[in-house]
């Protein structure tokens, strides 16, 4: 789990905020990345098995939103 942010002292606002979490379970791996603040907002969720035989079962969902 972790995160980072960028703060603009001139405008006194958070410019970008990024958070992530990764989890290894018995036979699966999960990863979530989220950027809810800033001109480029996005999220990414990935679930995949650890087994090499089942690697085609990967689930990946990504969305990006632009704020001009």
């Amino acid at each position: 789990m972790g995160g980072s942010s960028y703060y603009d002292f001139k405008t006194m606002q958070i410019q970008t905020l990024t958070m992530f979490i990764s989890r290894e379970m018995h036979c699966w791996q999960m990863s979530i990345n989220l950027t809810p603040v800033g001109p480029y907002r996005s999220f990414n969720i990935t679930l995949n098995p650890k087994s090499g035989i089942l690697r085609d079962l990967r689930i990946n969902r990504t969305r990006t939103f632009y704020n001009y």
Side-chain angles (χ1 to χ4, degrees):
M1 184 181 337
S4 65
S5 66
Y6 297 100
Y7 187 79
D8 187 354
F9 288 99
K10 288 183 180 180
T11 62
M12 304 297 275
Q13 293 181 346
I14 295 176
Q15 295 298 315
T16 303
L17 174 66
T18 303
M19 298 175 282
F20 65 89
I21 186 168
S22 297
R23 173 77 184 192
E24 288 194 25
M25 294 166 262
H26 174 66
C27 56
W28 290 86
Q29 293 176 335
M30 177 187 71
S31 173
I32 299 172
N33 297 311
L34 178 64
T35 305
V37 177
Y40 302 104
R41 299 176 184 176
S42 65
F43 71 88
N44 181 4
I45 299 171
T46 303
L47 289 170
N48 59 319
K50 289 183 179 180
S51 171
I53 297 171
L54 301 174
R55 68 176 174 237
D56 293 334
L57 293 177
R58 171 178 271 180
I59 298 168
N60 189 18
R61 181 74 170 170
T62 302
R63 288 288 178 259
T64 303
F65 306 97
Y66 301 103
N67 186 13
Y68 293 109

